[in-house]
Amino acid sequence: MRVLLTGHQGYLGTVMAPVLAAAGHEVVGLDAGLFADCVLGPPPADPPGHRVDLRDVTADHVAGVDAVIHLAALSNDPLGSLAPELTYDINHHASVRLARLARDAGVRRFLYASTCSVYGAAGGDDLVTEDAPLRPVTPYAESKVRVEDDLHALADGDFTPVFMRNATAFGYSPRLRADIVLNNLVGHALLSGEVLVLSDGTPWRPLVHAADIARAFTAALSAPREAVHDRAFNIGSEINNVTVAEIAEQVAEAVSSAKVVITGETGADPRSYRVDFSRFRAAIPGFDCEWTVKEGALELADTYRKHALTREDFEQRFTRLAVLRAASDAGAVDDTLRWRR
């Protein structure tokens, strides 16, 4: 299958591209390249691809493609809140435009990287299923809900959108992100000796390793149409439904020299939810996540040590908001986050 993978030079795309290729798919990338240089360790071998802003995609980019895996986005809540209008422009409007172009070009399957943060203010200890009310509390999560709604309207007998609601990602990727919870806490523990938690530690977070996300998308790509057509799936594992305080304890075990410090200075986080992941396992018999939070913390600690992670890289090169601010300050991108020619 010829697969267009948007965001192939991002945190998840860099992990996913070789998994797709190993499954026998021909992968074509599409990425603006904003984070292409955020590499820890040996440079990854990217698939052939298009260096193009998502907002500038044309019919030529989807011609001859059998399926689209759409990862590209302004990713995470702090970044979305910085420039909500850009979040909606890129994450919502450009995503739906891409889907329309794909459908018109005869693309039959469109896997959309949504997020469990659409449940944002679910609260409580009951497991949240895909049929639960959506309560996004950030522009990033709201943009995901809007795309799901618009893709649902595009679904027909020839075009199959699938909504992959990923839990919060963790784990090593050659294009590292340090601004997601487990990756951040492990780095902070190694560099400062503290596992620093600014909230009160009580919110629930569902976590999933980047490699398990890649496996899930690869499985959904070749699943029978009737199993996935126009359906939402939570992607993750119940064993990785953990509180922020529990994540911190796992990090302290992986970095034995570090101690847990819960300051509570930001108070209780309204984003709290435990998630049910059984629907995807039922749709894809035999699939299950392989990585636990504990294993991910150990992997990250070992990798950070191996590649001599520095505080400057941790806080600048591997933090998305800092990368974009640096590019803007240097005049490399304009105020709409487009490359200057």
Side-chain angles (χ1 to χ4, degrees), residues 154-213:
L154 293 177
D156 60 25
D158 298 315
F159 184 70
T160 292
V162 187
F163 317 113
M164 306 286 278
R165 294 178 181 166
N166 301 318
T168 299
F170 68 85
Y172 173 67
S173 164
R175 287 192 175 92
L176 184 69
R177 283 186 60 184
D179 51 5
I180 41 184
V181 61
L182 185 63
N183 297 11
N184 182 269
L185 291 178
V186 174
H188 203 279
L190 281 170
L191 293 168
S192 73
E194 292 184 343
V195 188
L196 184 63
V197 178
L198 300 181
S199 74
D200 63 6
T202 61
W204 286 99
R205 287 287 185 275
L207 270 60
V208 62
H209 197 286
D212 284 328
I213 293 176

Side-chain angles (χ1 to χ4, degrees), residues 40 48 61 78 103 132-133 136 165 170 190 199 229 265 269 271 305 313 322:
L40 181 69
H61 294 118
R103 186 187 65 169
R165 294 178 181 166
F170 68 85
L190 281 170
S199 74
H229 178 72
E265 62 190 72
D269 191 328
R271 300 167 299 170
R305 293 187 185 104
D313 279 345

Side-chain angles (χ1 to χ4, degrees), residues 22-319:
H25 300 292
E26 177 188 357
V27 182
V28 179
L30 188 148
D31 201 296
L34 290 171
F35 308 109
D37 295 332
C38 301
V39 175
L40 181 69
D46 292 328
H50 310 285
R51 176 62 67 90
V52 63
D53 191 291
L54 184 63
R55 292 164 288 185
D56 299 327
V57 170
T58 69
D60 289 342
H61 294 118
V62 292
V65 169
D66 300 303
V68 171
I69 294 179
H70 182 36
L71 306 178
L74 280 184
S75 185
N76 85 2
D77 294 329
L79 191 56
S81 298
L82 173 73
E85 70 285 353
L86 287 180
T87 296
Y88 294 124
D89 189 24
I90 296 171
N91 292 10
H92 177 206
H93 300 299
S95 294
V96 176
R97 180 172 172 273
L98 170 67
R100 289 197 181 101
L101 288 170
R103 186 187 65 169
D104 293 346
V107 173
R108 300 189 66 84
R109 191 160 298 190
F110 191 98
L111 304 188
Y112 176 59
S114 189
T115 172
C116 282
S117 65
V118 297
Y119 305 120
D125 290 337
D126 293 336
L127 292 179
V128 176
T129 71
E130 291 84 351
D131 297 324
L134 305 185
R135 298 187 176 97
V137 297
T138 65
Y140 171 72
E142 175 64 30
S143 73
K144 296 292 186 179
V145 173
R146 293 184 185 185
V147 175
E148 286 195 23
D149 288 343
D150 289 345
L151 291 185
H152 170 69
L154 293 177
D156 60 25
D158 298 315
F159 184 70
T160 292
V162 187
F163 317 113
M164 306 286 278
R165 294 178 181 166
N166 301 318
T168 299
F170 68 85
Y172 173 67
S173 164
R175 287 192 175 92
L176 184 69
R177 283 186 60 184
D179 51 5
I180 41 184
V181 61
L182 185 63
N183 297 11
N184 182 269
L185 291 178
V186 174
H188 203 279
L190 281 170
L191 293 168
S192 73
E194 292 184 343
V195 188
L196 184 63
V197 178
L198 300 181
S199 74
D200 63 6
T202 61
W204 286 99
R205 287 287 185 275
L207 270 60
V208 62
H209 197 286
D212 284 328
I213 293 176
R215 292 175 52 247
F217 274 73
T218 303
L221 196 62
S222 56
R225 178 181 180 274
E226 61 273 15
V228 297
H229 178 72
D230 196 25
R231 300 185 73 192
F233 296 99
N234 296 328
I235 304 301
S237 173
E238 286 83 359
I239 196 172
N240 291 332
N241 279 319
V242 286
T243 67
V244 175
E246 288 170 340
I247 298 171
E249 293 295 339
Q250 295 284 10
V251 173
E253 288 189 22
V255 184
S256 58
S257 59
K259 62 178 181 178
V260 175
V261 178
I262 298 178
T263 70
E265 62 190 72
T266 60
D269 191 328
R271 300 167 299 170
S272 181
Y273 41 89
R274 299 174 67 233
V275 178
D276 184 310
F277 299 99
S278 60
R279 177 185 288 184
F280 192 71
R281 292 194 298 270
I284 313 291
F287 179 87
D288 207 350
C289 290
E290 297 178 349
W291 285 82
T292 65
V293 172
K294 179 178 181 178
E295 292 166 340
L298 289 167
E299 175 206 33
L300 287 163
D302 289 345
T303 305
Y304 290 172
R305 293 187 185 104
K306 177 181 178 181
H307 297 300
L309 179 71
T310 67
R311 180 177 293 277
E312 181 180 3
D313 279 345
F314 179 69
E315 295 178 350
Q316 299 297 321
R317 193 153 61 95
F318 302 129
T319 297

